[in-house]
Amino acid sequence: QELTSTLRENYSYPVVSACLVHWASRYLLENTEFYDSTYFKSVMPVGLQLLANICAKFPALLPDVFRTVKAALALQVPLDSVSLAEHHKQLLNLLLHQAHCGLVEPVLALVTSTFPKTDRALVRHFVVTLVDSIAPPFSSRFVEQLCQLLDLRACREALTPNPAAAASVAKFASSVLDSGVLSISHSRQQSEKVLHSYARPQTVSHLVT
């Protein structure tokens, strides 16, 4: 408890934050023995929150934190399925935070490559949280990348059967189509096709073919 308070009080110093990121990479997120410890569930949220704070305060450390989270998502750890899902949800929340801090393209590229093998509930959580937390204006590059993500079979299977999730994505899709941002997109037709498939009511069987 005392150590946690000390870290929170001093992470505003660049050298302390850099050391914390290094420590997280070597210990919190890459040491498999830590996941089997009795203190994992109490320490991990604190470590991830510190990393989130560091991302917001020191943008130069965003790539280092991103590499750490990417490695953690691929790590084989001794957790049961429920605990593993909760852990991955925490990591995805940190990725969302990094995207909001400006690291958009690497985050979307990572989840696009990993979501085909990701639990559908986590896919739904990430996409819905993302589209519910952003608003126009959108860059054409961002829309292109997000459409590539939304076009994944994993996303369609996760989103379309859930009315609330489908409504969130439909609202986002409609706002993008109305904005006209795709008029300068290099992949306009494909992006518009993806957005229309979410903006208009479709049957689940049609959307996942």
Coordinates of all heavy atoms in Angstrom, one line a residue, residues 87-158:
H87 N -8.5 -10.5 -17.5 CA -7.2 -9.9 -17.7 C -7.1 -9.3 -19.1 O -6.6 -8.1 -19.2 CB -6.1 -11.0 -17.5 CG -4.8 -10.5 -17.9 ND1 -4.2 -9.4 -17.3 CD2 -3.8 -11.0 -18.7 CE1 -2.9 -9.3 -17.8 NE2 -2.7 -10.2 -18.7
H88 N -7.6 -10.0 -20.1 CA -7.5 -9.4 -21.5 C -8.4 -8.2 -21.6 O -8.1 -7.3 -22.4 CB -7.9 -10.5 -22.5 CG -6.8 -11.5 -22.7 ND1 -6.9 -12.6 -23.5 CD2 -5.5 -11.5 -22.3 CE1 -5.8 -13.2 -23.6 NE2 -4.9 -12.6 -22.8
K89 N -9.5 -8.2 -20.9 CA -10.4 -7.0 -20.9 C -9.7 -5.8 -20.4 O -9.8 -4.7 -20.9 CB -11.7 -7.3 -20.1 CG -12.7 -6.2 -20.2 CD -13.9 -6.5 -19.4 CE -15.0 -5.4 -19.4 NZ -16.2 -5.7 -18.7
Q90 N -8.9 -6.0 -19.3 CA -8.2 -4.9 -18.7 C -7.1 -4.4 -19.7 O -6.9 -3.2 -19.8 CB -7.5 -5.3 -17.4 CG -8.5 -5.6 -16.3 CD -7.8 -6.2 -15.0 OE1 -6.7 -6.8 -15.1 NE2 -8.4 -6.0 -13.9
L91 N -6.5 -5.3 -20.4 CA -5.5 -4.9 -21.4 C -6.1 -4.2 -22.6 O -5.5 -3.2 -23.1 CB -4.7 -6.2 -21.9 CG -3.8 -6.9 -20.9 CD1 -3.3 -8.2 -21.5 CD2 -2.7 -6.0 -20.4
L92 N -7.3 -4.7 -23.0 CA -8.0 -4.0 -24.1 C -8.4 -2.6 -23.7 O -8.4 -1.6 -24.5 CB -9.2 -4.8 -24.5 CG -8.9 -6.1 -25.3 CD1 -10.2 -6.8 -25.6 CD2 -8.2 -5.8 -26.6
N93 N -8.8 -2.4 -22.4 CA -9.1 -1.1 -21.9 C -7.9 -0.1 -22.0 O -8.1 1.1 -22.3 CB -9.7 -1.2 -20.5 CG -11.1 -1.7 -20.4 OD1 -11.8 -1.7 -21.4 ND2 -11.5 -2.2 -19.3
L94 N -6.8 -0.7 -21.7 CA -5.5 0.1 -21.8 C -5.2 0.5 -23.2 O -4.8 1.6 -23.5 CB -4.4 -0.6 -21.1 CG -3.0 0.1 -21.1 CD1 -3.2 1.5 -20.5 CD2 -2.0 -0.7 -20.3
L95 N -5.5 -0.4 -24.1 CA -5.3 -0.1 -25.6 C -6.3 1.0 -26.0 O -5.9 1.9 -26.8 CB -5.6 -1.4 -26.4 CG -4.4 -2.4 -26.4 CD1 -4.9 -3.6 -27.2 CD2 -3.1 -1.8 -26.9
L96 N -7.5 0.9 -25.5 CA -8.5 2.0 -25.8 C -8.0 3.3 -25.3 O -8.1 4.3 -26.0 CB -9.9 1.6 -25.2 CG -10.7 0.6 -25.9 CD1 -11.8 0.1 -25.0 CD2 -11.3 1.2 -27.2
H97 N -7.5 3.3 -24.1 CA -6.9 4.5 -23.5 C -5.8 5.1 -24.4 O -5.7 6.3 -24.6 CB -6.5 4.3 -22.1 CG -5.9 5.4 -21.4 ND1 -6.6 6.6 -21.1 CD2 -4.6 5.7 -21.1 CE1 -5.8 7.5 -20.5 NE2 -4.6 7.0 -20.5
Q98 N -4.9 4.2 -24.9 CA -3.8 4.6 -25.7 C -4.3 5.2 -27.0 O -3.7 6.2 -27.5 CB -2.9 3.4 -26.0 CG -2.1 3.0 -24.8 CD -1.0 2.0 -25.1 OE1 -1.3 0.8 -25.4 NE2 0.2 2.4 -25.2
A99 N -5.4 4.6 -27.6 CA -6.0 5.2 -28.8 C -6.5 6.6 -28.5 O -6.3 7.5 -29.4 CB -7.1 4.3 -29.3
H100 N -7.1 6.8 -27.4 CA -7.6 8.1 -27.1 C -6.4 9.1 -26.8 O -6.6 10.3 -27.0 CB -8.5 8.1 -25.8 CG -9.8 7.4 -26.1 ND1 -10.4 6.5 -25.2 CD2 -10.7 7.5 -27.1 CE1 -11.5 6.1 -25.7 NE2 -11.7 6.7 -26.8
C101 N -5.3 8.6 -26.5 CA -4.1 9.4 -26.2 C -3.4 9.7 -27.5 O -2.4 10.4 -27.5 CB -3.2 8.7 -25.2 SG -3.8 8.7 -23.5
G102 N -3.8 9.1 -28.6 CA -3.2 9.5 -29.9 C -2.6 8.3 -30.7 O -2.2 8.4 -31.9
L103 N -2.5 7.1 -30.1 CA -1.9 6.0 -30.7 C -2.9 5.1 -31.4 O -3.1 4.0 -31.1 CB -1.1 5.1 -29.7 CG 0.0 4.3 -30.2 CD1 1.2 5.1 -30.7 CD2 0.5 3.3 -29.2
V104 N -3.6 5.7 -32.4 CA -4.8 5.1 -33.0 C -4.4 4.0 -34.0 O -4.9 2.9 -33.9 CB -5.6 6.2 -33.7 CG1 -6.8 5.5 -34.4 CG2 -6.1 7.2 -32.7
E105 N -3.5 4.3 -34.9 CA -3.3 3.3 -36.0 C -2.6 2.0 -35.5 O -3.1 0.9 -35.8 CB -2.4 3.9 -37.1 CG -3.1 5.0 -37.9 CD -2.4 5.4 -39.2 OE1 -1.5 4.6 -39.6 OE2 -2.7 6.5 -39.7
P106 N -1.6 2.0 -34.6 CA -1.1 0.8 -34.1 C -2.1 0.0 -33.3 O -2.1 -1.3 -33.4 CB 0.1 1.2 -33.2 CG 0.5 2.6 -33.7 CD -0.8 3.2 -34.2
V107 N -3.0 0.7 -32.5 CA -4.0 -0.1 -31.7 C -5.0 -0.8 -32.6 O -5.3 -1.9 -32.5 CB -4.7 0.9 -30.8 CG1 -5.9 0.2 -30.2 CG2 -3.8 1.4 -29.7
L108 N -5.5 -0.1 -33.7 CA -6.5 -0.7 -34.6 C -5.8 -1.8 -35.4 O -6.5 -2.8 -35.6 CB -7.1 0.4 -35.5 CG -8.0 1.4 -34.8 CD1 -8.6 2.4 -35.9 CD2 -9.2 0.7 -34.1
A109 N -4.6 -1.6 -35.8 CA -3.9 -2.7 -36.5 C -3.7 -3.9 -35.7 O -3.9 -5.0 -36.1 CB -2.5 -2.2 -37.0
L110 N -3.4 -3.7 -34.4 CA -3.2 -4.9 -33.5 C -4.5 -5.6 -33.3 O -4.5 -6.9 -33.4 CB -2.7 -4.4 -32.1 CG -2.5 -5.5 -31.1 CD1 -1.6 -6.6 -31.5 CD2 -2.1 -4.9 -29.7
V111 N -5.6 -4.9 -32.9 CA -6.8 -5.6 -32.7 C -7.4 -6.3 -33.9 O -8.0 -7.3 -33.9 CB -7.9 -4.7 -32.0 CG1 -7.4 -4.3 -30.6 CG2 -8.2 -3.5 -32.8
T112 N -7.2 -5.7 -35.1 CA -7.6 -6.2 -36.3 C -6.9 -7.6 -36.6 O -7.6 -8.5 -37.1 CB -7.4 -5.3 -37.5 OG1 -8.1 -4.1 -37.3 CG2 -7.9 -5.9 -38.8
S113 N -5.7 -7.7 -36.2 CA -4.9 -8.9 -36.4 C -5.2 -10.0 -35.4 O -5.1 -11.2 -35.7 CB -3.4 -8.6 -36.5 OG -3.0 -8.2 -35.2
T114 N -5.7 -9.6 -34.2 CA -5.9 -10.6 -33.1 C -7.3 -10.9 -32.9 O -7.6 -12.0 -32.3 CB -5.3 -10.0 -31.8 OG1 -5.9 -8.8 -31.5 CG2 -3.8 -9.8 -31.9
F115 N -8.3 -10.1 -33.3 CA -9.7 -10.3 -33.0 C -10.3 -11.6 -33.6 O -11.2 -12.2 -33.0 CB -10.5 -9.1 -33.4 CG -10.7 -8.1 -32.3 CD1 -9.9 -8.2 -31.2 CD2 -11.5 -7.0 -32.5 CE1 -10.0 -7.2 -30.1 CE2 -11.7 -6.1 -31.4 CZ -10.9 -6.2 -30.3
P116 N -9.8 -12.1 -34.7 CA -10.3 -13.4 -35.2 C -10.2 -14.5 -34.2 O -11.0 -15.5 -34.2 CB -9.5 -13.7 -36.4 CG -9.2 -12.3 -37.0 CD -8.9 -11.5 -35.7
K117 N -9.2 -14.5 -33.2 CA -9.0 -15.5 -32.2 C -9.4 -15.0 -30.8 O -9.1 -15.7 -29.9 CB -7.6 -16.0 -32.2 CG -7.2 -16.6 -33.6 CD -5.7 -17.1 -33.5 CE -5.3 -17.8 -34.8 NZ -3.9 -18.2 -34.7
T118 N -10.1 -13.9 -30.8 CA -10.4 -13.3 -29.5 C -11.9 -13.6 -29.1 O -12.7 -13.7 -29.9 CB -10.3 -11.7 -29.5 OG1 -8.9 -11.4 -29.9 CG2 -10.6 -11.1 -28.2
D119 N -12.1 -13.8 -27.8 CA -13.4 -14.0 -27.3 C -14.4 -13.0 -27.8 O -14.1 -11.8 -27.7 CB -13.4 -14.0 -25.8 CG -14.8 -14.3 -25.1 OD1 -15.5 -13.3 -25.0 OD2 -15.1 -15.5 -24.9
R120 N -15.6 -13.4 -28.3 CA -16.5 -12.5 -28.9 C -17.0 -11.4 -28.0 O -17.3 -10.3 -28.4 CB -17.7 -13.2 -29.6 CG -17.2 -14.2 -30.7 CD -16.6 -13.4 -31.8 NE -16.3 -14.3 -32.9 CZ -15.1 -14.8 -33.2 NH1 -14.0 -14.5 -32.4 NH2 -14.8 -15.5 -34.3
A121 N -17.1 -11.7 -26.7 CA -17.6 -10.7 -25.7 C -16.5 -9.6 -25.6 O -16.9 -8.5 -25.4 CB -17.8 -11.4 -24.4
L122 N -15.3 -10.0 -25.7 CA -14.2 -9.0 -25.6 C -14.2 -8.1 -26.9 O -13.9 -6.9 -26.8 CB -12.8 -9.6 -25.4 CG -12.7 -10.4 -24.1 CD1 -11.3 -11.0 -24.0 CD2 -12.8 -9.4 -22.9
V123 N -14.4 -8.7 -28.0 CA -14.5 -8.0 -29.3 C -15.6 -7.0 -29.2 O -15.4 -5.8 -29.5 CB -14.8 -9.0 -30.4 CG1 -15.0 -8.2 -31.7 CG2 -13.6 -9.9 -30.6
R124 N -16.8 -7.4 -28.7 CA -17.9 -6.5 -28.6 C -17.6 -5.4 -27.6 O -17.9 -4.2 -27.9 CB -19.1 -7.3 -28.1 CG -20.4 -6.5 -28.0 CD -21.6 -7.3 -27.9 NE -21.6 -8.3 -26.8 CZ -21.4 -9.6 -26.9 NH1 -21.3 -10.1 -28.2 NH2 -21.4 -10.4 -25.9
H125 N -17.0 -5.7 -26.5 CA -16.7 -4.7 -25.5 C -15.8 -3.6 -26.1 O -16.0 -2.4 -25.9 CB -16.0 -5.3 -24.3 CG -15.3 -4.3 -23.4 ND1 -16.0 -3.5 -22.5 CD2 -14.0 -4.0 -23.2 CE1 -15.2 -2.8 -21.8 NE2 -14.0 -3.0 -22.2
F126 N -14.7 -4.0 -26.8 CA -13.8 -3.1 -27.4 C -14.4 -2.2 -28.4 O -14.3 -0.9 -28.3 CB -12.6 -3.8 -28.0 CG -11.6 -2.9 -28.6 CD1 -10.5 -2.5 -27.9 CD2 -11.7 -2.5 -29.9 CE1 -9.5 -1.7 -28.4 CE2 -10.7 -1.6 -30.5 CZ -9.6 -1.2 -29.7
V127 N -15.1 -2.8 -29.4 CA -15.7 -2.0 -30.4 C -16.8 -1.0 -29.9 O -16.8 0.2 -30.3 CB -16.3 -2.9 -31.5 CG1 -17.1 -2.1 -32.6 CG2 -15.2 -3.8 -32.2
V128 N -17.7 -1.5 -29.1 CA -18.7 -0.6 -28.6 C -18.2 0.5 -27.7 O -18.6 1.7 -27.8 CB -19.8 -1.5 -27.8 CG1 -20.8 -0.6 -27.1 CG2 -20.5 -2.4 -28.7
T129 N -17.2 0.2 -26.9 CA -16.6 1.2 -26.0 C -15.9 2.3 -26.9 O -16.0 3.5 -26.7 CB -15.6 0.6 -25.1 OG1 -16.2 -0.4 -24.3 CG2 -15.0 1.7 -24.2
L130 N -15.3 1.8 -28.0 CA -14.6 2.7 -28.9 C -15.6 3.7 -29.6 O -15.5 4.9 -29.6 CB -13.8 2.0 -29.9 CG -13.1 2.8 -31.0 CD1 -12.1 3.8 -30.3 CD2 -12.4 1.9 -32.0
V131 N -16.6 3.1 -30.3 CA -17.5 3.9 -31.1 C -18.4 4.8 -30.2 O -18.8 5.9 -30.6 CB -18.4 3.1 -32.0 CG1 -17.5 2.3 -33.0 CG2 -19.3 2.1 -31.2
D132 N -18.6 4.4 -28.9 CA -19.4 5.2 -28.0 C -18.7 6.4 -27.4 O -19.2 7.3 -26.9 CB -20.0 4.3 -26.9 CG -21.2 3.5 -27.3 OD1 -21.7 3.8 -28.4 OD2 -21.6 2.6 -26.5
S133 N -17.3 6.3 -27.6 CA -16.5 7.3 -26.9 C -15.9 8.3 -27.9 O -15.1 9.2 -27.5 CB -15.3 6.7 -26.2 OG -14.5 5.9 -27.0
I134 N -16.3 8.2 -29.2 CA -15.7 9.1 -30.2 C -16.8 9.9 -30.9 O -18.0 9.5 -30.9 CB -14.9 8.4 -31.2 CG1 -15.7 7.3 -31.9 CG2 -13.6 7.8 -30.6 CD1 -14.9 6.5 -33.0
A135 N -16.5 11.0 -31.5 CA -17.4 11.8 -32.2 C -16.7 12.5 -33.4 O -15.5 12.7 -33.4 CB -18.0 12.9 -31.3
P136 N -17.5 12.9 -34.4 CA -16.9 13.6 -35.6 C -16.2 14.9 -35.1 O -16.6 15.4 -34.1 CB -18.1 13.9 -36.5 CG -19.2 12.9 -36.0 CD -19.0 12.7 -34.6
P137 N -15.3 15.4 -35.9 CA -14.9 14.9 -37.2 C -13.9 13.7 -37.1 O -13.1 13.7 -36.2 CB -14.2 16.1 -37.8 CG -13.6 16.9 -36.6 CD -14.6 16.7 -35.5
F138 N -14.0 12.8 -38.1 CA -13.2 11.7 -38.2 C -12.2 11.9 -39.4 O -12.7 12.4 -40.4 CB -13.9 10.4 -38.4 CG -15.0 10.1 -37.3 CD1 -16.3 10.1 -37.7 CD2 -14.6 9.9 -36.0 CE1 -17.3 9.9 -36.7 CE2 -15.6 9.7 -35.1 CZ -16.9 9.7 -35.4
S139 N -11.0 11.4 -39.3 CA -10.1 11.4 -40.5 C -10.5 10.2 -41.4 O -11.0 9.2 -40.9 CB -8.7 11.3 -40.0 OG -8.4 10.0 -39.5
S140 N -10.2 10.4 -42.7 CA -10.5 9.3 -43.6 C -9.7 8.0 -43.3 O -10.2 6.9 -43.4 CB -10.3 9.7 -45.0 OG -8.9 10.1 -45.2
R141 N -8.4 8.2 -42.8 CA -7.6 7.1 -42.5 C -8.2 6.3 -41.3 O -8.2 5.1 -41.3 CB -6.2 7.6 -42.2 CG -5.2 6.5 -41.7 CD -5.1 5.4 -42.7 NE -4.2 4.3 -42.3 CZ -4.3 3.1 -42.7 NH1 -5.1 2.8 -43.7 NH2 -3.5 2.2 -42.3
F142 N -8.6 7.0 -40.3 CA -9.2 6.4 -39.1 C -10.5 5.6 -39.6 O -10.6 4.4 -39.1 CB -9.6 7.4 -38.1 CG -10.5 6.9 -37.0 CD1 -9.9 6.0 -36.0 CD2 -11.9 7.1 -36.9 CE1 -10.7 5.5 -35.0 CE2 -12.6 6.6 -35.9 CZ -12.1 5.8 -34.9
V143 N -11.3 6.1 -40.4 CA -12.5 5.4 -40.8 C -12.1 4.2 -41.6 O -12.7 3.1 -41.4 CB -13.4 6.4 -41.6 CG1 -14.6 5.6 -42.3 CG2 -13.9 7.5 -40.8
E144 N -11.1 4.3 -42.5 CA -10.7 3.2 -43.3 C -10.2 2.0 -42.4 O -10.6 0.9 -42.6 CB -9.6 3.6 -44.2 CG -10.0 4.4 -45.4 CD -8.8 5.0 -46.1 OE1 -7.7 4.6 -45.8 OE2 -9.0 5.8 -47.1
Q145 N -9.4 2.4 -41.4 CA -8.9 1.3 -40.5 C -10.0 0.7 -39.6 O -10.1 -0.5 -39.5 CB -7.9 1.9 -39.5 CG -6.5 1.8 -40.1 CD -5.4 2.0 -38.9 OE1 -5.3 3.1 -38.4 NE2 -4.8 0.9 -38.6
L146 N -11.0 1.5 -39.2 CA -12.0 1.0 -38.3 C -13.0 0.2 -39.2 O -13.5 -0.9 -38.7 CB -12.8 2.2 -37.7 CG -13.8 1.8 -36.6 CD1 -13.2 0.8 -35.6 CD2 -14.4 3.0 -35.9
C147 N -13.2 0.5 -40.4 CA -14.0 -0.3 -41.3 C -13.4 -1.7 -41.6 O -14.1 -2.7 -41.7 CB -14.3 0.4 -42.6 SG -15.5 1.7 -42.5
Q148 N -12.1 -1.7 -41.7 CA -11.4 -3.0 -41.8 C -11.6 -3.9 -40.6 O -11.8 -5.1 -40.7 CB -9.9 -2.8 -42.0 CG -9.5 -2.1 -43.3 CD -8.0 -1.8 -43.4 OE1 -7.2 -2.2 -42.6 NE2 -7.7 -1.0 -44.4
L149 N -11.6 -3.2 -39.4 CA -11.9 -4.0 -38.2 C -13.4 -4.5 -38.2 O -13.7 -5.6 -37.9 CB -11.7 -3.1 -37.0 CG -12.0 -3.6 -35.6 CD1 -11.2 -4.9 -35.3 CD2 -11.8 -2.6 -34.5
L150 N -14.3 -3.6 -38.5 CA -15.7 -3.9 -38.5 C -16.1 -5.0 -39.5 O -17.1 -5.7 -39.3 CB -16.6 -2.6 -38.7 CG -16.5 -1.6 -37.6 CD1 -17.3 -0.3 -38.0 CD2 -17.1 -2.1 -36.3
D151 N -15.3 -5.1 -40.5 CA -15.6 -6.0 -41.6 C -15.2 -7.5 -41.2 O -15.5 -8.4 -41.9 CB -14.9 -5.6 -42.9 CG -15.6 -6.2 -44.1 OD1 -16.8 -6.6 -44.1 OD2 -14.9 -6.4 -45.1
L152 N -14.5 -7.6 -40.1 CA -14.0 -8.9 -39.7 C -15.3 -9.8 -39.3 O -16.2 -9.3 -38.7 CB -13.1 -8.9 -38.5 CG -11.7 -8.2 -38.6 CD1 -11.0 -8.2 -37.3 CD2 -10.9 -9.0 -39.6
R153 N -15.2 -11.0 -39.7 CA -16.3 -12.0 -39.3 C -16.5 -12.0 -37.8 O -17.6 -12.0 -37.3 CB -16.0 -13.4 -39.8 CG -17.1 -14.4 -39.5 CD -16.7 -15.8 -40.0 NE -17.8 -16.7 -39.8 CZ -18.7 -17.0 -40.7 NH1 -18.6 -16.4 -41.9 NH2 -19.7 -17.8 -40.5
A154 N -15.4 -11.9 -37.1 CA -15.4 -11.9 -35.6 C -16.2 -10.7 -35.1 O -17.0 -10.9 -34.1 CB -14.0 -11.9 -35.0
C155 N -16.1 -9.6 -35.7 CA -16.8 -8.4 -35.2 C -18.3 -8.5 -35.6 O -19.2 -8.2 -34.7 CB -16.3 -7.1 -35.9 SG -14.8 -6.5 -35.1
R156 N -18.6 -9.0 -36.7 CA -20.0 -9.2 -37.1 C -20.7 -10.2 -36.2 O -21.9 -10.0 -35.8 CB -20.1 -9.6 -38.6 CG -19.6 -8.5 -39.5 CD -19.9 -8.8 -41.0 NE -19.4 -7.9 -41.9 CZ -20.0 -6.7 -42.2 NH1 -21.1 -6.4 -41.6 NH2 -19.4 -5.9 -43.0
E157 N -20.0 -11.3 -35.9 CA -20.6 -12.3 -35.0 C -20.8 -11.8 -33.6 O -21.7 -12.2 -32.9 CB -19.7 -13.5 -35.0 CG -19.7 -14.3 -36.3 CD -18.8 -15.5 -36.3 OE1 -17.9 -15.5 -35.4 OE2 -18.9 -16.4 -37.2
A158 N -19.9 -10.9 -33.2 CA -20.0 -10.3 -31.8 C -21.0 -9.2 -31.7 O -21.7 -9.1 -30.7 CB -18.6 -9.8 -31.4

